[in-house]
Every structure is written in structure tokens, then in C-alpha cells.
Amino acid sequence: EMKINAYAIHLRNIRAVFNYCIDEEYTNLYPFRKFKIKKEETRKRALTAEQLIMLRDYPCEEYQVRYRDMFMLMFYLIGINAADLFNAKPGDVVNGRLEYKRAKTGKLYSIKLEPEAMEIIGRYKGKHYLLNIMDEYGNYKDFLHRMGIGLKQIGECKRVGRGGKKVIDSLFPEISSYWSRHTWATIAHKIGVSKDVISMALGHSFGVSTTDIYINYDNDKIDEANRMVISAI
């Protein structure tokens, strides 16, 4: 049985089809006029500033360092999606900014590369890609899978029992790469960044989504917010 949010995803897809058909004048019927799509609140998937500092500075094992660095880089880039980060090319860096079209939505993004992000990018510089991940993996999802496992394994390792079985006391047993996005937004809100600026930074829509094309987004406000968030840790 599907959960409420799963039904909501399917209904939103159907609604998008109707909106397209109305725009293209294939129909004037709109079954969602009086129907509200329900959704339930999901469990928060974010770290506090204190927890993120703990993760950033934790003396993890050598194989975990790259996974942790990629998580921090995603955070420094306002929770950038893994597909957009790992598929980015050197040419996407323009005047100190990472400029790309988000694979999921097609929306254009321009993120200022703060020193913390540049340090990690320089350490993992790729040959054909901005980062060396895709130089080693044929599919970024393979690395992302390993990254998810590696992040969950960061923590104190103990040997227990006669056989010395390895047991890990994970710092954050449910963490994934996507937490970087929630973490950025959570910390931004905590330090007083307005919800409008947070929405702009995350690429969310204001009101009716079609009005987005008329809004001249203020990158300066987003840059300032990102610097504030990074400085908070």
C-alpha cells in the first residue's frame, strides 16, 4: 500500500499533464480546481550546525574522507544535487561561480564558489569533469551508493565478543547525501535568513510557478546567505 506522499507525487504528475494540455489548448477541463492534493510531513533529514561541525572535523577512516568531503561540498554549494555536481565540467565554472542547468528541473543555477568549496574542488580535480568522481565511475549513482554507505559508517569502531566482531557506533546512522540540502536550509533558517531567500537559493517557486520567468533573482542575496551559513560552522 502506498503512503500519502506517494499518492501525492502521482497526482501532481497528472495535474502537470492537465496544466500542459490547457496551455496548449488541447482541453479546458481542469479536475483539480476544487481538489487539494494532501501530503504528510516527513521526518526531518538535517544536521544542526553543531552536528555538521562534528562530521566535518571527525577523524574518520581514510576511505571515508572523500565521502565526507563530497557531503561538505554539496553543503557549501547550497545542497546541490549529486547528478549536477558529479556531471559538472570545468567549463561550468565562470568568473568564480558554478553555473549549470539542474538535471531534475532544467532551472538555471549560478552559485558563488566560496573558498571552502574551492579547496575541496581543487583537491579532487578531475580530468574531463570538474571532480574526479566520473573519471573513476561510469555512473555517478554507483559512487553515490558507496557514499551513502560510507557516511553511515563514520563513527567509533569497536571490537566485541570473542571473535572481535567489528561494530560501528555511527554518528548519523540515517545520513545520506540529500541531507546536505536540508541541512543548509535548516541552518539558514536558524541564523535568520528569510524564507524568501532560502526558497530562491534552493530554486523553489514563488506562488504560481509560471511567474518564475518574470522574476530577476538577486544572486547577491543568495551569495550573502550562503556565506552566512558557511560561516555559522
Side-chain angles (χ1 to χ4, degrees), residues 59-77:
C60 55
E61 296 186 33
E62 186 177 352
Y63 81 94
Q64 298 167 333
V65 172
R66 182 162 67 161
Y67 303 138
R68 190 259 309 278
D69 286 348
M70 290 302 110
F71 183 91
M72 293 305 303
L73 180 56
M74 289 177 175
F75 171 80
Y76 295 144
L77 296 177

Side-chain angles (χ1 to χ4, degrees), residues 147-164:
M147 178 177 169
I149 296 173
L151 288 172
K152 292 176 177 64
Q153 291 177 341
I154 295 177
E156 185 179 0
C157 182
K158 300 178 181 178
R159 297 285 181 177
V160 298
R162 291 183 178 180

Side-chain angles (χ1 to χ4, degrees), residues 24-204:
E24 297 296 320
E25 299 183 352
Y26 292 132
T27 183
N28 58 5
L29 300 176
Y30 189 67
F32 291 91
R33 186 169 62 86
K34 293 184 178 181
F35 180 77
K36 185 176 181 180
I37 299 175
K38 295 181 180 180
K39 65 178 182 179
E40 59 183 356
E41 186 175 357
T42 56
R43 183 169 47 190
K44 301 299 181 185
R45 296 176 289 180
L47 301 175
T48 64
E50 293 75 18
Q51 288 174 326
L52 186 60
I53 291 171
M54 183 190 304
L55 176 65
R56 181 195 65 191
D57 299 339
Y58 192 81
C60 55
E61 296 186 33
E62 186 177 352
Y63 81 94
Q64 298 167 333
V65 172
R66 182 162 67 161
Y67 303 138
R68 190 259 309 278
D69 286 348
M70 290 302 110
F71 183 91
M72 293 305 303
L73 180 56
M74 289 177 175
F75 171 80
Y76 295 144
L77 296 177
I78 316 181
I80 188 172
N81 184 271
D84 300 317
L85 176 60
F86 298 141
N87 286 317
K89 302 291 181 64
D92 294 332
V93 176
V94 181
N95 296 324
R97 308 184 69 88
L98 178 61
E99 299 188 342
Y100 66 97
K101 184 178 290 186
R102 191 177 181 194
K104 183 178 180 181
T105 63
K107 185 183 288 289
L108 290 170
Y109 281 74
S110 178
I111 302 176
K112 182 180 179 182
L113 294 170
E114 296 292 341
E116 292 85 349
M118 288 299 296
E119 192 277 329
I120 294 176
I121 291 172
R123 202 166 352 129
Y124 297 95
K125 187 177 181 180
K127 296 179 181 178
H128 306 292
Y129 292 85
L130 182 64
L131 301 172
N132 60 17
I133 304 303
M134 289 296 289
D135 292 331
E136 300 179 28
Y137 290 82
N139 187 324
Y140 79 91
K141 292 182 179 179
D142 294 336
F143 175 80
L144 198 62
H145 175 70
R146 292 174 181 269
M147 178 177 169
I149 296 173
L151 288 172
K152 292 176 177 64
Q153 291 177 341
I154 295 177
E156 185 179 0
C157 182
K158 300 178 181 178
R159 297 285 181 177
V160 298
R162 291 183 178 180
K165 183 180 179 181
K166 185 178 180 180
V167 177
I168 298 174
D169 184 11
S170 176
L171 288 180
F172 309 108
E174 297 183 359
I175 193 173
S176 70
S177 64
Y178 198 68
W179 280 41
S180 62
R181 188 172 176 84
H182 289 258
T183 298
W184 190 95
T186 299
I187 295 176
H189 183 262
K190 182 77 173 179
I191 63 177
V193 178
S194 73
K195 289 185 178 180
D196 283 350
V197 173
I198 292 174
S199 293
M200 282 194 294
L202 298 178
H204 292 169

